[in-house]
Amino acid sequence: MSIEARLAELGITLPAPAAPVAAYVPAVEANGLLHISGQLPFREDGSLITGRLGQDVDVAAGAEAAKRCGVMLIAQMKAALGGDLDRVERIVKLGAFISSTPDFTDQPKVANGASELMQAVFGDAGRHARSAVGVPVLPLGAAVEIDAIVAVRPL
């Protein structure tokens, strides 16, 4: 089954990939790896999920924010790979940054929103290494930001 068919089966519609908000590019392909800049959690209506875990965002809402970051990561993959998601060989690593209070320690549960999405979409190739780090603040007040390293097949 193609990745596009799997996305349709899961009911996931990819948004247009987010444009950079500063001096960087969304993705760089080098030596068989696609490095994707940090993506923020945009809802389907385009609004940004903001707040801090442990303060005004609970774990379930944080996991949904992480999932929305994952959807944007896949949108960036598609754009960087000329529309061909079947070039994805493996999700190598996700780096999850969770805006949280000093006493919040469930960052891994929040990051699972993106990790579980990658496995649902890419199967075993979606299993990856990961970091989940609490930070005091993220760009635009986002609740979560996630970057990725993806192994890709050559053209």
Side-chain angles (χ1 to χ4, degrees):
M1 173 182 295
S2 75
I3 299 304
E4 292 285 349
R6 185 70 181 136
L7 286 167
E9 182 179 272
L10 293 168
I12 297 170
T13 301
L14 295 179
V21 297
Y24 62 91
V25 295
V28 173
E29 185 177 347
N31 299 319
L33 294 175
L34 182 64
H35 298 262
I36 305 171
S37 297
Q39 299 298 304
L40 300 180
F42 290 98
R43 294 180 183 93
E44 288 183 21
D45 68 5
S47 64
L48 181 64
I49 300 172
T50 60
R52 290 180 81 196
L53 278 289
Q55 180 175 311
D56 53 1
V57 179
D58 65 19
V59 171
E64 179 61 25
K67 180 180 179 181
R68 296 306 306 169
C69 290
V71 168
M72 189 58 74
L73 285 166
I74 297 169
Q76 294 290 4
M77 287 175 215
K78 183 174 180 177
L81 298 174
D84 187 3
L85 285 170
D86 292 317
R87 282 188 60 204
V88 172
E89 284 187 333
R90 174 135 202 177
I91 307 302
V92 176
K93 184 171 185 201
L94 297 182
F97 303 90
I98 294 95
S99 178
S100 51
T101 60
D103 60 336
F104 183 82
T105 59
D106 282 334
Q107 288 86 358
K109 291 179 183 176
V110 171
N112 280 347
S115 293
E116 291 167 2
L117 173 68
M118 294 302 162
Q119 292 175 38
V121 172
F122 296 101
D124 283 341
R127 294 174 50 87
H128 52 271
R130 184 184 82 191
S131 56
V133 179
V135 297
V137 66
L138 287 167
L140 307 176
V144 179
E145 179 177 354
I146 301 179
D147 62 15
I149 301 172
V150 179
V152 297
R153 290 180 185 86
L155 286 173

